[in-house]
Amino acid sequence: MTDVAFYHLQRSPLEKVLPKLLEKTLAAGRRALVRTGSAERAEALATTLWTYDPGGWLPHGTVEDGNAADQPIWLTDSDENANGAAFLFLTDGAGSDQLAQFERGFDLFDGNDPAAVAAARERWKVWKAAGHVLTYWQQSETGAWERKG
């Protein structure tokens, strides 16, 4: 079964948290698939990955770039593992019918949006019932991530 970490974003937006998690993914020698709510959102996050750190660089691509198999990080609104990723990042409330194919999953949701929180709780229930190993992470007052529950 897949290890799935739920990230309750309250103090930092997705655009700040996702690049750091992707850096760790690449440092671990893994590929990432970032599933978004729309093709436009995938392109916006791709722009974020180019600009979030002037001294850093995360190799990535989208459908607009093509060549998914060559991309260590693939951003898409499709539920297809086009780049052979081991890690799946779900954003914008996106789910996946392919979760069991991944080594790890990351569900990043807006903790300031009651609808997003409710949807994340539903995904938690479904994935727990399916036998996946779940963890829940929340930011402390200092901004550090703390495992809860």
Side-chain angles (χ1 to χ4, degrees):
M1 293 277 92
T2 302
D3 290 336
V4 183
F6 280 74
Y7 280 81
H8 191 146
L9 306 178
Q10 289 181 290
R11 290 177 172 64
S12 299
L14 177 67
E15 293 79 5
K16 296 285 186 197
V17 175
L18 182 62
K20 298 298 181 191
L21 292 172
L22 293 172
E23 285 175 346
K24 290 180 180 186
T25 297
L26 295 182
R30 298 293 191 265
R31 289 174 160 252
L33 175 70
V34 179
R35 181 142 191 248
T36 64
S38 70
E40 294 79 19
R41 179 70 160 149
E43 291 300 326
L45 287 175
T47 298
T48 297
L49 296 183
W50 283 117
T51 60
Y52 83 98
D53 178 3
W57 180 68
L58 288 170
H60 65 278
T62 67
V63 171
E64 294 282 324
D65 303 313
N67 301 312
D70 295 334
Q71 305 293 346
I73 299 169
W74 186 247
L75 298 105
T76 182
D77 63 336
S78 171
D79 194 17
E80 178 183 349
N81 190 359
N83 71 330
F87 290 4
L88 172 65
F89 292 82
L90 299 169
T91 68
D92 307 324
S96 176
D97 293 331
Q98 312 301 319
L99 182 61
Q101 295 180 11
F102 293 88
E103 182 181 323
R104 293 193 64 192
F106 300 82
D107 189 312
L108 298 100
F109 64 96
D110 183 351
N112 298 308
D113 178 350
V117 172
R121 286 183 179 138
E122 287 304 312
R123 290 189 301 276
W124 177 283
K125 289 177 190 174
V126 169
W127 292 339
K128 185 169 183 72
H132 298 290
V133 178
L134 309 180
T135 56
Y136 172 77
W137 297 86
Q138 191 172 30
Q139 278 182 304
S140 70
E141 294 292 326
T142 65
W145 288 98
E146 296 177 348
R147 184 175 173 171
K148 300 286 185 174

